[in-house]
Amino acid sequence: MRNMVLANSRTHFLSCQSGLPQRASFKSAKPFTCGPRGAAKLRSSPAHRRNKHCSSPQAVAQQDLPGAQAQDKLVYKGIYSDWTVEDQDVREVIAYRAGLNVAALALLVETAIVLTSADSVPGIWQNAVVAAGVAGLGGSLYLVHMYVTPIKRFMQGLYGVGAAGAVGLALTQGGQSVPQYVAEHPSSVWLVGPFFAAVTGLAFKEGACYGKPEAIALFFVTPVLLLGHLTGLVPQGGEKGLLLTFVALCTIFAGRKWTQAIKDDIGDKSVFM
């Protein structure tokens, strides 16, 4: 009889226990998100459940990347969120730098033609070189990252006015090259000058952001060259020296862009997201 009572009591206890709510199993826990806007997803783990805190943004972003990618992608802290350098960012920066180099190369070639053999090279070919340089700078001004959008639009507007002036000269001066015409008619600086004002603005941006000496020098040399030619206050020998200095600075500036880290030309990506 005593054994039967114990058996019934045990059966009753087990049946009551089965009605209690079961403890949640963390093995089936789903991923959750943490951190500010744009933070990466963090998968649950025993360590995170014990501490009840998310790991740092950098660690969070890296552990959500597969395999070797997690070792290659660095996470940078931005004002609004964390960010990484993506493939599209790399392509844009390379295109930005390539545009600067195309413009510098065109300037170098056209300057050599004007100073050595301007009469032997047809004006249409010289204008083609100029067009390549104008297109290269235009692409760079389109891709450049600047936090203050109105300033970027203003620089693009100056570029557009100057480029239109150059096109107008190319179409109306009977096949004479634009650089040759500007060299012979100082007043035409009013037509192409805004283009070089955009160059000055870009030089200021690069010099202020990265402390590049060639960019800072370019910021001062460009207006002196243009105003000196426009007003006639600089003698011909001085103009030639300023022109060669301008070409050298542009070449160094464009070439040294390739020595910078990709992230430098992106800036704080969270501002643009």
Side-chain angles (χ1 to χ4, degrees):
M1 175 65 70
R2 180 181 179 183
N3 291 338
M4 290 180 63
V5 171
L6 290 175
N8 290 336
S9 298
R10 183 178 180 184
T11 302
H12 177 72
F13 173 76
L14 291 175
S15 64
C16 291
Q17 187 182 36
S18 63
L20 294 174
Q22 299 297 314
R23 178 177 298 178
S25 173
F26 287 104
K27 293 182 179 180
S28 60
K30 295 182 179 180
F32 61 95
T33 58
C34 66
R37 179 177 66 87
K41 290 185 178 180
L42 175 66
R43 297 188 179 278
S44 60
S45 66
H48 292 132
R49 287 194 298 272
R50 285 195 302 269
N51 298 329
K52 296 182 181 180
H53 290 290
C54 294
S55 58
S56 65
Q58 180 167 345
V60 169
Q62 285 188 349
Q63 66 183 354
D64 199 43
L65 294 171
Q69 238 183 343
Q71 303 299 323
D72 297 335
K73 286 201 175 183
L74 296 177
V75 178
Y76 302 99
K77 277 193 171 294
I79 295 176
Y80 301 108
S81 67
D82 303 317
W83 58 276
T84 59
V85 177
E86 305 296 338
D87 291 341
Q88 182 179 353
D89 301 323
V90 175
R91 288 192 293 268
E92 288 183 359
V93 171
I94 290 176
Y96 167 70
R97 296 176 179 179
L100 294 177
N101 279 260
V102 169
L105 179 61
L107 174 65
L108 185 63
V109 171
E110 183 57 27
T111 301
I113 293 174
V114 169
L115 295 179
T116 59
S117 56
D119 295 333
S120 61
V121 179
I124 187 172
W125 291 111
Q126 294 185 49
N127 286 338
V129 174
V130 172
V134 170
L137 182 65
S140 295
L141 286 174
Y142 174 77
L143 293 169
V144 64
H145 280 198
M146 297 183 69
Y147 298 131
V148 185
T149 302
I151 295 179
K152 178 178 178 179
R153 296 289 180 259
F154 180 67
M155 289 171 52
Q156 291 173 337
L158 289 173
Y159 162 85
V161 172
V167 171
L169 289 177
L171 296 176
T172 58
Q173 299 308 315
Q176 187 178 18
S177 72
V178 173
Q180 191 68 30
Y181 183 86
V182 173
E184 296 175 0
H185 302 84
S187 60
S188 60
V189 168
W190 289 108
L191 294 175
V192 299
F195 175 89
F196 292 94
V199 173
T200 305
L202 188 61
F204 177 80
K205 177 260 180 188
E206 293 282 341
C209 290
Y210 312 120
K212 288 179 170 292
E214 66 273 16
I216 297 172
L218 194 59
F219 171 75
F220 291 103
V221 169
T222 305
V224 172
L225 172 62
L226 271 292
L227 292 175
H229 183 61
L230 176 64
T231 61
L233 295 177
V234 180
Q236 187 174 5
E239 277 193 27
K240 184 176 180 180
L242 284 171
L243 176 61
L244 292 176
T245 302
F246 174 74
V247 173
L249 289 173
C250 287
T251 304
I252 295 171
F253 165 64
R256 273 180 27 95
K257 287 301 296 179
W258 298 109
T259 65
Q260 285 184 260
I262 292 292
K263 70 176 181 61
D264 289 349
D265 279 329
I266 298 174
D268 185 353
K269 186 178 171 183
S270 70
V271 176
F272 307 102
M273 294 171 65

